[in-house]
Amino acid sequence: MTDVNQLITEHLDIWTSAIEKKSSAGRGNGGAVTLYGIKRLRALVLELAVRGKLVPQVVDDGTTNSYLDEVIRVRNELVKHGKAKKLKKLPAILESEVPFETPNGWSWVRLQDISGYIQRGKSPKYADSGRVQVISQKCVQWGFFDLEKARYISDDSIEGYGPERFLRSGDVLWNSTGTGTVGRVLSVEIEEEQALVADSHVTVVRSISGCPKFLEVYLSSAGIQDRIDPAHERSLVSGSTKQVELNTSTVNALPIPLPPLEEQHRIVAKVDELMGLCDALERQAEDSLKAHQTLVDTCLATLTNSQTPEDLTQNWIRIEAHFDTLFTTEESAAALRNAILEMAAMGLLTRRASSQVTPDEILKRIAKDKKGLVDRGELRREKPLEKLDPKKVPFALPSGWAWAKIGDIALFTQYGTSQKAAKLPEGVPVLAMGNIQGGAVSLESEKLLPRHWEEFPSLLLQPGDLLYNRTNSAELVGKTGLFDGPEDAYTFASYLIRIRLDHSLVRPQYLNFVMNSPFFRATQIVPKIKKQTGQANVNGTFLKNMLVPLPPTEEQDSVIKQIEELSKVCGGLAKGFSQIGAFQRIIADTLTSKIH
């Protein structure tokens, strides 16, 4: 047992440093990243516990034989007095059902043999208020009971609930339907004044083994949770990945490793102690990550607050002196790239050139080009945009730059096709909002439209077209990508808006960088978001009136070059940090595997 304690305590640096991008599932997750090492440490603690390797065996504890005789006697008494159902006797546990060896004195038993009651809740008749609350899957979280999410059953339906359906302290609640929630398990304590019942998506296990918390420990362990997956070779659930079910018959028949009662209590106490250690490590790691990111953001803000290239140089010298301390994570590398986009949009990364096509000249030429398109019948005449108000611009620009509206610098903007695409033998691929990733446009698409569709060729894309996502979640609406595919080979769906530019006057790469910068999102997209039926929308009218900094054409080229060069540096940093993180996670996995 000393080796086990050393495994946990002597590698705390590994447990706390191994992180990965955030996942919504599992115990103890929070913040922008998952603390992968601590997550693995929690899993290790549970696995050691259920294998009898977390606390030493004590001779005086005896074996489970006499203890099980008493459990069976209690169960028979409950059946005799109508307080438990007489269950069909299940076959003896086969060797193939036993996933690991247990210490001497332990026994493998089926869950129904040590439970007085195993039953799904019932579908409730809901009410806005009442005397009895109904527990749903949302209430059963990893490590805590969330009664704020509990609703009420109508008082006139209470008589339909037998006394056995009201939850009691020690009941183990096991979520039994739905991807993402099925499998969460919790042993609950019920206050005397609380009247609670479960709904039909939660299985109630009422143990008579004397230590229901040990059941929670086992059902929470990886050996069980890994099997809450239809694809697992020994899956405990049925159905598809979209809707899985944990059937009561499966719960009844589940083999459970059962230690002597005193050992169960010692195991539970040790698990609680070590989970408390994990909680403390988690808080410490999260606080450290937050403090580091705050430091990075504060230092980078000095760059974006620079008023001149000279100020920028001085502020960068200060950051450069502490570069190795500041930029140590993928998140900090991403923050550095965002700061670069911000500084580029503010005109801080380039020097003024003497002979250039000025913003005024650019706008005049674009207006002339658009008039020509209208006169030739290639573009519908539109109402001119309202004149830009100098008092409402986000920040001051360098000499020679000007603020402009997207509707004035674009030849035109255009919604995509609303026609439903399908999987066809051949045709034109339809790009959707999922194709816009990281400022680029992925060309992967399984949905096609016929090549001779009536909206073509007007809705076919050209290299350099920008695609703007007008409808999505609040976090993703407004994302923009640069199309760099072949000419006239792809089209786009109606949730996207195409921005077509005159490349000789406004470089698509430049506008794409600006529209993906933090300032643009904060000042031009977020204030315009309107939510409808769970989706956020920032439509084409808003898009045309969005403000962007417009430098002379040659200076746009300089900005593009600077961003591309510096983004490569940031990408190299992020890749290096990602490799370090992957290595740390491998070490955490290796340490965990030592228990087998």
Side-chain angles (χ1 to χ4, degrees):
M1 208 60 62
T2 302
D3 291 341
V4 167
N5 291 330
Q6 288 177 344
L7 180 62
I8 294 174
T9 58
E10 291 186 2
H11 300 286
L12 291 181
D13 56 332
I14 298 299
W15 305 125
T16 55
S17 62
I19 63 176
E20 67 177 352
K21 290 185 178 180
K22 186 176 181 180
S23 169
S24 59
R27 293 183 64 157
N29 292 333
V33 294
T34 294
L35 300 173
Y36 181 84
I38 298 175
K39 180 181 177 182
R40 293 296 289 161
L41 177 56
R42 291 182 189 276
L44 172 61
V45 168
L46 294 175
E47 200 68 15
L48 291 171
V50 301
R51 290 170 180 257
K53 296 181 179 182
L54 194 62
V55 299
Q57 277 72 50
V58 177
V59 175
D60 290 345
D61 288 343
T63 69
T64 54
N65 292 336
S66 58
Y67 160 56
L68 278 173
D69 289 341
E70 177 61 17
V71 170
I72 292 170
R73 187 194 68 77
V74 170
R75 194 176 202 297
N76 289 336
E77 283 293 314
L78 291 172
V79 171
K80 180 179 177 180
H81 293 93
K83 295 182 179 180
K85 291 181 180 179
K86 186 173 183 179
L87 298 173
K88 178 182 177 182
K89 186 174 178 60
L90 295 173
I93 296 174
L94 301 174
E95 187 175 342
S96 60
E97 294 182 87
V98 176
F100 52 82
E101 291 185 7
T102 55
N104 292 330
W106 289 38
S107 298
W108 282 94
V109 296
R110 297 201 186 276
L111 186 52
Q112 75 168 23
D113 295 332
I114 57 170
S115 301
Y117 178 79
I118 298 178
Q119 185 64 53
R120 287 272 195 105
K122 61 187 292 185
S123 297
K125 180 181 177 183
Y126 288 114
D128 293 333
S129 61
R131 303 198 307 271
V132 178
Q133 287 180 286
V134 59
I135 302 305
S136 67
Q137 294 188 105
K138 293 179 181 179
C139 303
V140 181
Q141 298 291 327
W142 286 116
F144 69 98
F145 196 32
D146 190 355
L147 273 178
E148 289 187 5
K149 292 184 171 65
R151 298 172 66 184
Y152 292 91
I153 62 171
S154 63
D155 287 347
D156 60 8
S157 68
I158 293 176
E159 61 183 19
Y161 288 80
E164 74 283 355
R165 287 197 176 272
F166 286 82
L167 301 185
R168 306 170 191 177
S169 286
D171 281 353
V172 177
L173 307 183
W174 201 0
N175 287 351
S176 298
T177 64
T179 302
T181 56
V182 64
R184 284 202 303 254
V185 63
L186 187 69
S187 173
V188 295
E189 294 297 321
I190 308 298
E191 301 291 338
E192 190 174 326
E193 68 276 6
Q194 290 177 321
L196 308 174
V197 295
D199 73 10
S200 59
H201 300 299
V202 177
T203 298
V204 180
V205 179
R206 189 163 295 146
S207 168
I208 52 174
S209 64
C211 187
K213 184 75 174 177
F214 179 79
L215 279 183
E216 180 192 334
V217 169
Y218 181 62
L219 298 179
S220 299
S221 67
I224 295 298
Q225 290 300 312
D226 288 349
R227 297 170 65 189
I228 307 293
D229 181 348
H232 194 283
E233 61 181 359
R234 298 176 59 237
S235 178
L236 294 173
V237 295
S238 59
S240 66
T241 54
K242 291 184 178 179
Q243 184 61 30
V244 295
E245 294 282 340
L246 177 62
N247 296 315
T248 304
S249 58
T250 302
V251 177
N252 280 329
L254 186 68
I256 303 290
L258 198 68
L261 185 58
E262 290 302 318
E263 188 172 349
Q264 291 182 49
H265 287 298
R266 290 200 305 277
I267 289 172
V268 167
K270 192 65 174 178
V271 168
D272 287 343
E273 175 190 337
L274 293 175
M275 288 301 178
L277 170 64
C278 289
D279 291 342
L281 290 173
E282 194 169 60
R283 287 191 296 270
Q284 180 182 355
E286 286 178 344
D287 289 346
S288 177
L289 286 170
K290 288 176 183 176
H292 176 262
Q293 195 62 39
T294 299
L295 179 62
V296 169
D297 293 342
T298 301
C299 290
L300 290 177
T302 66
L303 299 181
T304 56
N305 289 333
S306 301
Q307 299 299 309
T308 65
E310 291 72 26
D311 287 344
L312 175 63
T313 300
Q314 291 301 315
N315 289 329
W316 174 251
I317 289 172
R318 296 187 188 96
I319 289 178
E320 190 178 28
H322 304 284
F323 193 90
D324 291 344
T325 302
L326 290 169
F327 302 105
T328 58
T329 64
E330 290 181 73
E331 289 71 30
S332 59
L336 178 58
R337 184 179 184 277
N338 283 339
I340 289 168
L341 292 177
E342 196 94 340
M343 290 184 290
M346 297 173 72
L348 293 172
L349 296 186
T350 57
R351 295 187 180 278
R352 311 288 84 78
S354 55
S355 66
Q356 304 193 64
V357 181
T358 66
D360 282 346
E361 184 63 25
I362 291 172
L363 292 171
K364 288 177 182 177
R365 290 190 191 180
I366 292 172
K368 182 179 178 181
D369 290 345
K370 291 168 79 168
K371 183 177 183 304
L373 290 172
V374 171
D375 291 343
R376 294 192 299 272
E378 297 175 24
L379 184 66
R380 188 177 63 184
R381 187 182 301 276
E382 294 182 340
K383 182 180 177 181
L385 300 176
E386 289 186 14
K387 191 174 180 180
L388 190 151
D389 185 351
K391 296 179 180 179
K392 294 183 179 180
V393 299
F395 47 78
L397 291 173
S399 174
W401 289 41
W403 287 99
K405 294 187 175 184
I406 289 178
D408 287 330
I409 66 173
L411 290 176
F412 61 84
T413 60
Q414 186 178 23
Y415 282 67
T417 179
S418 57
Q419 178 64 27
K420 187 175 182 180
K423 292 184 179 181
L424 303 174
E426 61 175 24
V428 177
V430 180
L431 302 178
M433 53 189 178
N435 291 92
I436 302 177
Q437 301 289 340
V441 177
S442 163
L443 302 183
E444 296 180 5
S445 176
E446 296 181 351
K447 299 295 182 70
L448 309 175
L449 284 177
R451 291 192 180 278
H452 301 293
W453 185 248
E454 59 187 12
E455 294 174 302
F456 301 154
S458 65
L459 284 185
L460 294 177
L461 290 164
Q462 306 293 319
D465 283 346
L466 292 178
L467 294 180
Y468 163 88
N469 187 190
R470 67 180 177 89
T471 301
N472 207 317
S473 65
E475 295 77 20
L476 296 176
V477 67
K479 62 179 180 174
T480 302
L482 178 64
F483 177 77
D484 196 27
E487 183 176 347
D488 292 340
Y490 289 83
T491 188
F492 57 106
S494 60
Y495 284 154
L496 303 179
I497 298 176
R498 184 233 309 263
I499 303 172
R500 173 71 57 82
L501 303 168
D502 180 337
H503 300 187
S504 68
L505 298 171
V506 180
R507 309 296 197 235
Q509 297 94 327
Y510 169 77
L511 184 56
N512 188 44
F513 285 140
V514 170
M515 293 182 70
N516 282 288
S517 68
F519 110 78
F520 187 83
R521 177 156 200 88
T523 65
Q524 304 302 302
I525 294 176
V526 172
K528 306 295 192 303
I529 289 177
K530 294 185 179 296
K531 292 185 178 180
Q532 297 174 339
T533 61
Q535 291 284 292
N537 186 277
V538 184
N539 62 32
T541 301
F542 286 131
L543 173 64
K544 291 177 185 178
N545 284 282
M546 290 178 184
L547 300 179
V548 293
L550 184 62
T553 302
E554 291 81 357
E555 205 162 331
Q556 294 176 40
D557 293 328
S558 180
V559 170
I560 293 168
K561 182 180 178 181
Q562 291 281 7
I563 291 177
E564 288 178 343
E565 290 178 351
L566 293 170
S567 291
K568 284 181 182 178
V569 174
C570 295
L573 283 173
K575 184 177 180 180
F577 299 143
S578 175
Q579 291 171 343
I580 292 171
F583 181 64
Q584 290 171 327
R585 293 192 290 273
I586 290 170
I587 295 175
D589 289 340
T590 302
L591 291 174
T592 304
S593 69
K594 288 185 178 183
I595 66 171
H596 296 302

